[in-house]
Amino acid sequence: MTEHVTQAAYLVAAALFVFSLRWMSHPKTARRGVAAGVGGMALAVFGTLLHPEIVAFHWIAIAAVVGTLIGIPLSRVALTAVPQRTALSHAFGGLAAGLVGTAKFSLWLPEGELTGFRTGAIAVEVLLGFLTFTGSLMAAGKLQEVIPTRPITYRGQNFINLTLLAIALLAGVGLVLDPTLWALFPVLVVLSLLFGVLLILPIGGADMPTVISLLNSYAGLAAVAMGFVLENKVLIIAGALDGSSGLILSIIMCRAMNRSFTNVLFGAFGQVQASTKGAAEQKPVKSATAQDAADLLEMAREVVVVPGYGLAVAQAQHRAFELYEQLQKRGIRCRFAIHPVAGRMPGHMNVLLAEANVPYDALAEMDDINGDLPQVDVAIVVGANDVVNPAARHDQSSPIYGMPIIDVDKCKTVLAIKRTMNPGFAGIDNELYTADNTLMLFGDAKAVLSEVVKALSGESGMGH
Amino acid sequence: MHQLDFWSMTFVFMLATFVGIDVIRNVSRLLHTPLMSLTNAISAIAVVGSVIIAGEQKTTFSLVLGTIAVAASVTNIVSGFLITDRMLKMFRQQGANR
């Protein structure tokens, strides 16, 4: 009887998880999606606690309290730190999978319950779980800048990594063939942990959005493998939903940078930057004041702001919102053009701007806004660099050639806010800054935007 | 018997992946960050397996691993759902009040 209740609870939980993700299709229904997710989780936990094998609850309760105590502060981090938090929770997900796999192996080994199928599923669970654990910790460390964000490479890196992975897989196969060779199990665990570290070492800061998505997918697949081990369908379903979500996000991120998975994982982007600087003649840069910018904006009918992660670093989101408000007040249409890789994880820039009160209908995706840009009077580039570099369209020697960009250079006037003329994150020169229709506003993003807003609001009394 | 279980589980996995890909494709690009924290919380369904291991208390070794796994999963459930909701509350439409 209890078994039926448990299975029914799992069934409804699985349905709720699907609805939860469905409702994420629109900001209006999204919060309902969270409620559905919470409901599904509560049902699944309830169904599990009915299991007759559970003889004592106190350790579960203690662990749940500890988890809640860690979880609550983790949910209150600054929004700029959300990528680190996400990476950290992938790590926890991977750890749980790895530990459950290890525990099951240790329990089944003396009982002689290790069939080939079970051992194989455990090997996959442990491999994915532990590599996600250390890999995500590394990613979180790089995002928090505890570990250097530049790619760390050495000779024969890919060869060493692939050899380690091959040995780990061989250990797994050995265990499947003969589970009594249990000494292979710790080998598998250690190699998985090591492989996770080595996999992320050569990956640079610019690739973090893809890597986080990929680790998300691995964490999901580790849960799927756990489902196969425990013969639990709700685990398989929830893990598969998580796995496919991570996969789709990784594909979107890779496309947005015009790179392949193998290139992200083995390419060590952001370090080997061929310097093509010497040959190019230096074109003069035109700079402007905040007052010039305000005058230009006054006359505009349509304005587009292109924010990059630099906007968040300078804590200038709220100034950007004030600018948006000033323009709205004058009947000037103002939108924010968001590149898929703006920020440190998929969708990061949207969240940062939403926090600053920018309504979501003013946030436009790159593909939706590019066609409108030739009609836009003024584009303001704040803290973005490579995602607006026209070289990506025509300069085959550029490392970012082929990457889809926001075509701000097609706008009538471009205002670029930048500290200095130093090249950006990836160290690539940007010809946008020397284009004829570009005016540079030098200074800190927050300070410059404040001045522009001040100049704009100062004129508001004068009328036309 | 395990042969049969393997196949039925693989069917479930395949179908759930197809459903997942289809549903995630329709998720608004605005919400990709909250989506990731939500799927994070959902995949903490690993709590199901961890709870059984910690509750069976078969060996000290398995009890310790199970308890850590429960703590890790509960962390993800709590922080994942809370932060998703916190972020979603920030998304407002033009003209609408918070």
Side-chain angles (χ1 to χ4, degrees):
Chain A
M1 181 58 205
T2 20
E3 180 55 19
H4 290 297
V5 178
T6 302
Q7 290 303 327
Y10 285 171
L11 184 74
V12 180
L16 283 171
F17 290 152
V18 173
F19 274 106
S20 171
L21 296 180
R22 251 199 111 75
W23 280 325
M24 290 296 277
S25 60
H26 197 277
K28 272 184 186 161
T29 52
R31 288 189 70 200
R32 205 190 302 163
V34 179
V38 173
M41 189 60 70
L43 267 177
V45 171
F46 164 75
T48 307
L49 291 176
L50 293 180
H51 265 276
E53 297 99 320
I54 298 179
V55 293
F57 291 91
H58 54 277
W59 283 107
I60 299 173
I62 292 171
V65 170
V66 171
T68 310
L69 289 179
I70 306 173
I72 289 177
L74 265 184
S75 73
R76 297 202 178 139
V77 297
L79 289 184
T80 39
V82 165
Q84 293 89 302
R85 189 218 72 95
T86 307
L88 210 55
S89 60
H90 294 333
F92 286 145
L95 178 68
L99 293 182
V100 169
T102 307
K104 269 291 166 193
F105 185 84
S106 78
L107 290 174
W108 278 336
L109 180 66
E111 292 169 7
E113 292 274 344
L114 281 174
T115 59
F117 163 66
R118 280 178 165 175
T119 318
I122 289 179
V124 174
E125 180 187 353
V126 165
L127 177 73
L128 281 173
F130 282 132
L131 90 81
T132 307
F133 174 55
T134 50
S136 303
L137 283 183
M138 288 289 295
K142 285 199 170 197
L143 286 162
Q144 185 69 37
E145 292 174 23
V146 189
I147 302 171
T149 50
R150 67 189 163 74
I152 298 166
T153 51
Y154 46 88
R155 274 185 58 191
Q157 190 164 33
N158 290 339
F159 176 75
I160 292 172
N161 286 0
L162 291 175
T163 309
L164 278 180
L165 183 64
I167 298 173
L169 289 174
L170 278 178
V173 171
L175 283 169
V176 172
L177 294 177
D178 184 2
T180 54
L181 296 170
W182 61 267
L184 287 175
F185 193 82
V187 174
L188 175 64
V189 171
V190 171
L191 287 179
S192 310
L193 289 168
L194 191 61
F195 184 69
V197 175
L198 295 179
L199 189 67
I200 306 301
L201 267 185
I203 294 175
D207 278 331
M208 278 304 151
T210 320
V211 168
I212 291 193
S213 311
L214 212 55
L215 289 168
N216 182 12
S217 192
Y218 290 167
L221 292 177
V224 170
M226 191 198 286
F228 275 84
V229 173
L230 303 174
E231 297 177 16
N232 184 320
K233 294 196 178 80
V234 74
L235 260 170
I236 297 179
I237 293 171
L241 294 177
D242 192 32
S244 44
S245 169
L247 182 70
I248 288 184
L249 293 178
S250 321
I251 292 172
I252 293 176
M253 291 297 109
C254 279
R255 274 198 198 138
M257 295 193 297
N258 188 37
R259 305 183 55 212
S260 65
F261 277 141
T262 24
N263 189 256
V264 170
L265 289 176
F266 303 111
F269 190 64
Q271 193 197 37
V272 269
Q273 219 53 261
S275 174
T276 50
K277 230 189 203 158
E281 85 274 34
Q282 279 296 335
K283 275 180 72 183
V285 172
K286 283 180 283 186
S287 80
T289 64
Q291 187 60 50
D292 300 338
D295 293 344
L296 264 170
L297 289 169
E298 277 268 275
M299 314 234 284
R301 271 185 307 169
E302 188 158 357
V303 173
V304 164
V305 180
V306 185
Y309 191 66
L311 176 94
V313 172
Q315 288 294 317
Q317 307 93 299
H318 297 277
R319 296 294 103 74
F321 172 67
E322 285 165 19
L323 177 70
Y324 164 84
E325 267 193 321
Q326 280 295 333
L327 294 173
Q328 286 291 108
K329 225 190 264 174
R330 277 148 220 268
I332 302 165
R333 188 181 189 202
C334 175
R335 282 181 292 171
F336 290 79
I338 315 284
H339 193 278
V341 296
R344 293 269 165 104
M345 68 181 287
H348 195 193
M349 194 50 67
N350 297 310
V351 175
L352 293 168
L353 289 169
E355 187 195 23
N357 243 334
V358 177
Y360 61 75
D361 19 18
L363 305 175
E365 286 301 327
M366 171 175 73
D367 295 336
D368 300 331
I369 205 165
N370 261 349
D372 298 350
L373 291 180
Q375 279 87 52
V376 168
D377 301 296
V378 182
I380 308 175
V381 179
V382 199
N385 193 354
D386 296 333
V387 298
V388 292
N389 191 344
R393 282 201 311 261
H394 63 75
D395 180 4
Q396 296 199 18
S397 68
S398 171
I400 56 167
Y401 177 69
M403 178 173 119
I405 59 160
I406 299 175
D407 299 325
V408 283
D409 54 312
K410 293 184 179 165
C411 298
K412 286 167 196 151
T413 309
V414 180
L415 294 171
I417 302 178
K418 219 170 164 327
R419 245 173 224 287
T420 61
M421 277 304 284
N422 289 338
F425 197 47
I428 305 160
D429 277 332
N430 194 339
E431 62 184 54
L432 179 73
Y433 303 138
T434 51
D436 291 331
N437 57 340
T438 301
L439 293 172
M440 299 298 297
L441 294 167
F442 288 109
D444 170 70
K446 191 175 176 178
V448 172
L449 281 177
S450 307
E451 282 172 47
V452 174
V453 170
K454 213 200 271 168
L456 262 179
S457 51
E459 285 159 23
S460 60
M462 286 156 63
H464 294 278
Chain B
M1 174 200 166
H2 280 302
Q3 285 300 339
L4 204 89
D5 283 339
F6 168 73
W7 283 113
S8 74
M9 285 192 281
T10 308
F11 274 100
V12 170
F13 176 46
M14 181 191 75
L15 292 175
T17 304
F18 286 161
V19 170
I21 288 177
D22 219 48
V23 171
I24 303 289
R25 270 209 186 127
N26 282 316
V27 169
S28 162
R29 285 206 175 189
L30 287 171
L31 302 181
H32 276 169
T33 295
L35 167 71
M36 210 185 263
S37 53
L38 181 66
T39 52
N40 226 266
I42 289 177
S43 78
I45 187 73
V47 73
V48 163
S50 323
V51 157
I52 295 176
I53 304 272
E56 288 178 331
Q57 306 205 339
K58 281 196 180 156
T59 63
T60 317
F61 182 65
S62 74
L63 173 63
V64 171
L65 297 195
T67 307
I68 299 174
V70 173
S73 311
V74 172
T75 305
N76 277 358
I77 295 174
V78 171
S79 74
F81 284 128
L82 283 179
I83 202 166
T84 307
D85 199 52
R86 185 181 142 216
M87 289 192 280
L88 291 177
K89 267 193 261 182
M90 293 168 181
F91 283 89
R92 64 175 189 102
Q93 226 174 345
Q94 201 158 335
N97 285 319
R98 277 224 200 183

Short mmCIF file of all heavy atoms in Angstrom, two decimals, chain A residues 345-385:
data_model
loop_
_atom_site.label_atom_id
_atom_site.label_comp_id
_atom_site.label_asym_id
_atom_site.label_seq_id
_atom_site.Cartn_x
_atom_site.Cartn_y
_atom_site.Cartn_z
N MET A 345 26.86 34.46 -16.77
CA MET A 345 26.13 33.20 -16.99
C MET A 345 24.93 33.53 -17.87
O MET A 345 24.60 34.70 -18.05
CB MET A 345 25.70 32.59 -15.65
CG MET A 345 24.64 33.36 -14.88
SD MET A 345 24.21 32.58 -13.31
CE MET A 345 23.26 31.16 -13.85
N PRO A 346 24.29 32.51 -18.46
CA PRO A 346 23.16 32.79 -19.34
C PRO A 346 22.11 33.65 -18.65
O PRO A 346 21.70 33.35 -17.53
CB PRO A 346 22.60 31.40 -19.66
CG PRO A 346 23.72 30.45 -19.39
CD PRO A 346 24.56 31.08 -18.34
N GLY A 347 21.69 34.74 -19.30
CA GLY A 347 20.61 35.57 -18.76
C GLY A 347 21.02 36.49 -17.62
O GLY A 347 20.17 37.18 -17.06
N HIS A 348 22.31 36.52 -17.29
CA HIS A 348 22.76 37.27 -16.11
C HIS A 348 22.41 38.76 -16.21
O HIS A 348 21.94 39.36 -15.26
CB HIS A 348 24.28 37.09 -15.98
CG HIS A 348 24.83 37.49 -14.64
ND1 HIS A 348 26.16 37.66 -14.42
CD2 HIS A 348 24.23 37.76 -13.48
CE1 HIS A 348 26.36 38.01 -13.17
NE2 HIS A 348 25.19 38.07 -12.58
N MET A 349 22.66 39.36 -17.40
CA MET A 349 22.44 40.79 -17.56
C MET A 349 20.97 41.16 -17.34
O MET A 349 20.66 42.21 -16.77
CB MET A 349 22.91 41.21 -18.96
CG MET A 349 23.08 42.68 -19.16
SD MET A 349 24.04 43.48 -17.89
CE MET A 349 25.65 42.78 -18.18
N ASN A 350 20.08 40.30 -17.79
CA ASN A 350 18.64 40.57 -17.61
C ASN A 350 18.30 40.69 -16.13
O ASN A 350 17.55 41.58 -15.73
CB ASN A 350 17.81 39.45 -18.22
CG ASN A 350 18.01 39.34 -19.72
OD1 ASN A 350 17.92 40.33 -20.43
ND2 ASN A 350 18.30 38.15 -20.19
N VAL A 351 18.85 39.78 -15.34
CA VAL A 351 18.57 39.81 -13.90
C VAL A 351 19.14 41.07 -13.26
O VAL A 351 18.49 41.72 -12.45
CB VAL A 351 19.14 38.54 -13.22
CG1 VAL A 351 18.96 38.61 -11.72
CG2 VAL A 351 18.48 37.31 -13.77
N LEU A 352 20.37 41.42 -13.67
CA LEU A 352 21.00 42.61 -13.09
C LEU A 352 20.20 43.87 -13.41
O LEU A 352 20.05 44.76 -12.57
CB LEU A 352 22.43 42.75 -13.62
CG LEU A 352 23.40 41.66 -13.15
CD1 LEU A 352 24.69 41.70 -13.94
CD2 LEU A 352 23.69 41.82 -11.66
N LEU A 353 19.67 43.96 -14.64
CA LEU A 353 18.88 45.14 -15.00
C LEU A 353 17.50 45.11 -14.36
O LEU A 353 16.96 46.15 -13.96
CB LEU A 353 18.77 45.25 -16.52
CG LEU A 353 20.09 45.64 -17.20
CD1 LEU A 353 19.99 45.47 -18.70
CD2 LEU A 353 20.47 47.07 -16.85
N ALA A 354 16.93 43.92 -14.25
CA ALA A 354 15.61 43.82 -13.60
C ALA A 354 15.72 44.28 -12.15
O ALA A 354 14.83 44.94 -11.62
CB ALA A 354 15.10 42.38 -13.67
N GLU A 355 16.86 43.96 -11.51
CA GLU A 355 17.04 44.40 -10.13
C GLU A 355 17.06 45.92 -10.04
O GLU A 355 16.57 46.51 -9.07
CB GLU A 355 18.37 43.85 -9.57
CG GLU A 355 18.52 44.14 -8.08
CD GLU A 355 19.94 43.95 -7.58
OE1 GLU A 355 20.88 44.01 -8.40
OE2 GLU A 355 20.10 43.74 -6.37
N ALA A 356 17.61 46.56 -11.09
CA ALA A 356 17.67 48.02 -11.10
C ALA A 356 16.35 48.63 -11.55
O ALA A 356 16.28 49.82 -11.82
CB ALA A 356 18.79 48.48 -12.02
N ASN A 357 15.30 47.79 -11.67
CA ASN A 357 13.96 48.29 -11.95
C ASN A 357 13.63 48.42 -13.43
O ASN A 357 12.53 48.89 -13.77
CB ASN A 357 13.74 49.65 -11.30
CG ASN A 357 12.65 49.56 -10.28
OD1 ASN A 357 11.78 48.70 -10.39
ND2 ASN A 357 12.67 50.43 -9.29
N VAL A 358 14.55 48.09 -14.32
CA VAL A 358 14.26 48.19 -15.75
C VAL A 358 13.17 47.17 -16.09
O VAL A 358 13.33 45.99 -15.76
CB VAL A 358 15.52 47.91 -16.59
CG1 VAL A 358 15.20 47.94 -18.08
CG2 VAL A 358 16.62 48.90 -16.26
N PRO A 359 12.05 47.60 -16.68
CA PRO A 359 11.00 46.64 -17.00
C PRO A 359 11.46 45.66 -18.08
O PRO A 359 12.25 46.03 -18.95
CB PRO A 359 9.84 47.51 -17.50
CG PRO A 359 10.45 48.79 -17.87
CD PRO A 359 11.69 48.97 -17.05
N TYR A 360 10.96 44.43 -18.00
CA TYR A 360 11.49 43.42 -18.92
C TYR A 360 11.09 43.67 -20.36
O TYR A 360 11.73 43.19 -21.28
CB TYR A 360 11.14 42.00 -18.46
CG TYR A 360 9.69 41.65 -18.37
CD1 TYR A 360 8.93 41.41 -19.51
CD2 TYR A 360 9.06 41.53 -17.14
CE1 TYR A 360 7.60 41.08 -19.42
CE2 TYR A 360 7.73 41.20 -17.05
CZ TYR A 360 7.00 40.98 -18.19
OH TYR A 360 5.68 40.64 -18.10
N ASP A 361 10.04 44.46 -20.61
CA ASP A 361 9.72 44.71 -22.02
C ASP A 361 10.70 45.71 -22.66
O ASP A 361 10.66 45.91 -23.86
CB ASP A 361 8.27 45.14 -22.26
CG ASP A 361 7.58 45.65 -21.02
OD1 ASP A 361 8.30 46.00 -20.06
OD2 ASP A 361 6.34 45.72 -21.00
N ALA A 362 11.59 46.30 -21.85
CA ALA A 362 12.62 47.16 -22.43
C ALA A 362 13.90 46.38 -22.69
O ALA A 362 14.89 46.94 -23.17
CB ALA A 362 12.90 48.33 -21.50
N LEU A 363 13.92 45.10 -22.36
CA LEU A 363 15.10 44.27 -22.59
C LEU A 363 14.92 43.51 -23.90
O LEU A 363 13.98 42.75 -24.03
CB LEU A 363 15.29 43.27 -21.43
CG LEU A 363 15.36 43.87 -20.02
CD1 LEU A 363 15.42 42.76 -18.98
CD2 LEU A 363 16.57 44.77 -19.90
N ALA A 364 15.81 43.72 -24.85
CA ALA A 364 15.66 43.07 -26.15
C ALA A 364 16.82 42.14 -26.41
O ALA A 364 17.97 42.45 -26.11
CB ALA A 364 15.57 44.12 -27.25
N GLU A 365 16.53 40.97 -26.99
CA GLU A 365 17.57 40.02 -27.36
C GLU A 365 18.28 40.50 -28.62
O GLU A 365 17.67 41.16 -29.47
CB GLU A 365 16.95 38.65 -27.62
CG GLU A 365 16.53 37.92 -26.38
CD GLU A 365 17.69 37.69 -25.43
OE1 GLU A 365 18.81 37.49 -25.90
OE2 GLU A 365 17.45 37.71 -24.21
N MET A 366 19.54 40.13 -28.73
CA MET A 366 20.35 40.50 -29.89
C MET A 366 19.63 40.26 -31.22
O MET A 366 19.53 41.16 -32.05
CB MET A 366 21.65 39.69 -29.85
CG MET A 366 22.50 39.82 -31.09
SD MET A 366 24.05 38.96 -30.88
CE MET A 366 23.51 37.27 -30.98
N ASP A 367 19.10 39.04 -31.40
CA ASP A 367 18.51 38.70 -32.69
C ASP A 367 17.27 39.53 -32.98
O ASP A 367 16.94 39.78 -34.13
CB ASP A 367 18.14 37.21 -32.71
CG ASP A 367 19.37 36.34 -32.63
OD1 ASP A 367 20.45 36.83 -33.01
OD2 ASP A 367 19.25 35.19 -32.18
N ASP A 368 16.56 39.94 -31.93
CA ASP A 368 15.33 40.70 -32.15
C ASP A 368 15.62 42.15 -32.46
O ASP A 368 14.83 42.81 -33.13
CB ASP A 368 14.43 40.62 -30.91
CG ASP A 368 14.06 39.19 -30.59
OD1 ASP A 368 13.99 38.38 -31.55
OD2 ASP A 368 13.85 38.87 -29.41
N ILE A 369 16.73 42.67 -31.98
CA ILE A 369 16.95 44.11 -32.10
C ILE A 369 17.88 44.47 -33.25
O ILE A 369 17.84 45.59 -33.76
CB ILE A 369 17.47 44.70 -30.77
CG1 ILE A 369 17.10 46.19 -30.69
CG2 ILE A 369 18.96 44.48 -30.59
CD1 ILE A 369 17.22 46.77 -29.32
N ASN A 370 18.69 43.52 -33.72
CA ASN A 370 19.69 43.86 -34.75
C ASN A 370 19.07 44.49 -35.99
O ASN A 370 19.61 45.43 -36.55
CB ASN A 370 20.52 42.64 -35.11
CG ASN A 370 21.85 42.64 -34.39
OD1 ASN A 370 22.23 43.65 -33.78
ND2 ASN A 370 22.56 41.53 -34.42
N GLY A 371 17.90 44.00 -36.40
CA GLY A 371 17.24 44.53 -37.59
C GLY A 371 16.81 45.99 -37.44
O GLY A 371 16.72 46.73 -38.41
N ASP A 372 16.55 46.40 -36.20
CA ASP A 372 16.07 47.77 -35.96
C ASP A 372 17.20 48.78 -35.84
O ASP A 372 16.97 49.99 -35.87
CB ASP A 372 15.29 47.84 -34.63
CG ASP A 372 14.07 46.95 -34.64
OD1 ASP A 372 13.72 46.44 -35.72
OD2 ASP A 372 13.45 46.77 -33.56
N LEU A 373 18.43 48.31 -35.67
CA LEU A 373 19.51 49.23 -35.31
C LEU A 373 19.79 50.34 -36.32
O LEU A 373 20.08 51.46 -35.91
CB LEU A 373 20.79 48.45 -34.97
CG LEU A 373 20.68 47.64 -33.67
CD1 LEU A 373 21.97 46.89 -33.39
CD2 LEU A 373 20.35 48.54 -32.49
N PRO A 374 19.68 50.09 -37.65
CA PRO A 374 19.92 51.20 -38.58
C PRO A 374 18.96 52.39 -38.37
O PRO A 374 19.29 53.51 -38.73
CB PRO A 374 19.70 50.56 -39.96
CG PRO A 374 19.98 49.12 -39.74
CD PRO A 374 19.52 48.81 -38.35
N GLN A 375 17.80 52.15 -37.76
CA GLN A 375 16.88 53.25 -37.49
C GLN A 375 17.12 53.91 -36.13
O GLN A 375 16.44 54.85 -35.77
CB GLN A 375 15.42 52.75 -37.51
CG GLN A 375 14.84 52.60 -38.90
CD GLN A 375 15.18 51.24 -39.47
OE1 GLN A 375 14.94 50.24 -38.84
NE2 GLN A 375 15.76 51.22 -40.66
N VAL A 376 18.06 53.36 -35.38
CA VAL A 376 18.28 53.89 -34.04
C VAL A 376 19.20 55.10 -34.10
O VAL A 376 20.22 55.08 -34.79
CB VAL A 376 18.88 52.79 -33.13
CG1 VAL A 376 19.40 53.38 -31.83
CG2 VAL A 376 17.83 51.73 -32.84
N ASP A 377 18.82 56.18 -33.40
CA ASP A 377 19.59 57.42 -33.48
C ASP A 377 20.87 57.34 -32.65
O ASP A 377 21.93 57.70 -33.11
CB ASP A 377 18.74 58.59 -32.98
CG ASP A 377 17.47 58.72 -33.82
OD1 ASP A 377 17.61 59.00 -35.02
OD2 ASP A 377 16.38 58.49 -33.28
N VAL A 378 20.74 56.88 -31.41
CA VAL A 378 21.92 56.83 -30.55
C VAL A 378 22.02 55.46 -29.88
O VAL A 378 21.04 54.97 -29.31
CB VAL A 378 21.87 57.92 -29.45
CG1 VAL A 378 23.14 57.88 -28.61
CG2 VAL A 378 21.68 59.29 -30.05
N ALA A 379 23.19 54.85 -29.96
CA ALA A 379 23.46 53.62 -29.21
C ALA A 379 24.47 53.97 -28.13
O ALA A 379 25.44 54.68 -28.39
CB ALA A 379 24.02 52.55 -30.12
N ILE A 380 24.21 53.54 -26.90
CA ILE A 380 25.15 53.78 -25.81
C ILE A 380 25.75 52.45 -25.40
O ILE A 380 25.03 51.55 -24.97
CB ILE A 380 24.44 54.44 -24.61
CG1 ILE A 380 23.66 55.68 -25.07
CG2 ILE A 380 25.45 54.82 -23.54
CD1 ILE A 380 22.83 56.30 -23.97
N VAL A 381 27.06 52.32 -25.55
CA VAL A 381 27.74 51.07 -25.18
C VAL A 381 28.36 51.26 -23.81
O VAL A 381 29.21 52.14 -23.62
CB VAL A 381 28.81 50.71 -26.22
CG1 VAL A 381 29.53 49.43 -25.83
CG2 VAL A 381 28.20 50.59 -27.61
N VAL A 382 27.91 50.47 -22.84
CA VAL A 382 28.44 50.61 -21.48
C VAL A 382 29.03 49.29 -21.02
O VAL A 382 28.31 48.32 -20.79
CB VAL A 382 27.33 50.96 -20.46
CG1 VAL A 382 27.94 51.55 -19.20
CG2 VAL A 382 26.31 51.88 -21.04
N GLY A 383 30.34 49.25 -20.86
CA GLY A 383 30.97 48.06 -20.30
C GLY A 383 30.92 46.84 -21.20
O GLY A 383 31.19 45.74 -20.77
N ALA A 384 30.53 47.03 -22.46
CA ALA A 384 30.56 45.92 -23.41
C ALA A 384 31.68 46.21 -24.39
O ALA A 384 32.01 47.37 -24.64
CB ALA A 384 29.24 45.81 -24.16
N ASN A 385 32.30 45.17 -24.95
CA ASN A 385 33.40 45.41 -25.86
C ASN A 385 33.37 44.44 -27.03
O ASN A 385 32.97 44.81 -28.13
CB ASN A 385 34.72 45.31 -25.08
CG ASN A 385 35.89 45.85 -25.88
OD1 ASN A 385 35.75 46.20 -27.04
ND2 ASN A 385 37.04 45.91 -25.26
#
